[in-house]
Amino acid sequence: MAVHCHECGFVNPEGANYCQKCGAYLARTEGGSGDEPSTLTYKIAETGDFQPIDIEEMVEEEGAALVIRGGGRAGESFAIDQDRMSIGRTPDAPIFLDDVTVSRNHALLVRRRDGLYIDDLGSLNGTYVNRKRIESHLLADGDEIQIGKFKLSYLER
């Protein structure tokens, strides 16, 4: 059964969480309690294996985390455990997003006096927070970040 986007009307394939045209979240009300997450959260271990994690525990321990919600690798999580963390297609980036829609050095997470910011580093496709293109943005719990084809949720305690 196709899923129609409530924002733009685009017909998305069954099981889609986000609209392929506009990126809106395709909320579902049927068949779920609403309290359980629909995606397992994990991180990639040094061995390359998936390591399941409790995202609430990660946020409590580290203070903040990013979780991929759309664009591939849904559920992969990154603890925000440094004052500066780069996001990009370069393999040495702490938040490595391997896709041609992501610049090698796309964005930077920077802890400043008043909180955690995301700064675009002059990327070709831009960095978006809550569907608005940004150059620098103070992140708040629940913000949705889009980098290339990836949609990430920012979570903080």
Side-chain angles (χ1 to χ4, degrees), residues 82-136:
Q82 300 170 35
D83 288 338
R84 296 174 63 88
M85 293 180 71
S86 62
I87 302 171
R89 193 169 31 101
T90 185
D92 60 344
I95 301 173
F96 174 53
L97 301 176
D98 191 17
D99 188 79
V100 296
T101 61
V102 178
S103 297
R104 290 183 70 68
N105 296 301
H106 197 103
L108 183 66
L109 293 172
V110 182
R111 190 161 309 281
R112 296 187 178 122
R113 279 189 223 160
D114 57 340
L116 187 71
Y117 283 77
I118 185 166
D119 296 340
D120 183 77
L121 298 176
S123 64
L124 181 64
N125 291 326
T127 300
Y128 295 79
V129 177
N130 301 325
R131 298 174 57 194
K132 293 182 178 143
R133 190 169 184 155
I134 59 96
E135 288 184 26
S136 182

Side-chain angles (χ1 to χ4, degrees), residues 12-28:
N12 293 276
E14 181 178 0
N17 290 320
Y18 293 89
C19 178
Q20 292 178 346
K21 184 175 181 186
C22 73
Y25 179 65
L26 302 172
R28 288 184 191 70

Side-chain angles (χ1 to χ4, degrees), residues 43-63:
K43 66 180 182 178
I44 305 289
E46 289 184 21
T47 60
D49 295 329
F50 291 172
Q51 180 180 356
I53 58 148
D54 180 334
I55 191 64
E56 291 175 6
E57 192 173 293
M58 177 189 275
V59 170
E60 188 60 35
E61 288 176 11
E62 301 297 340

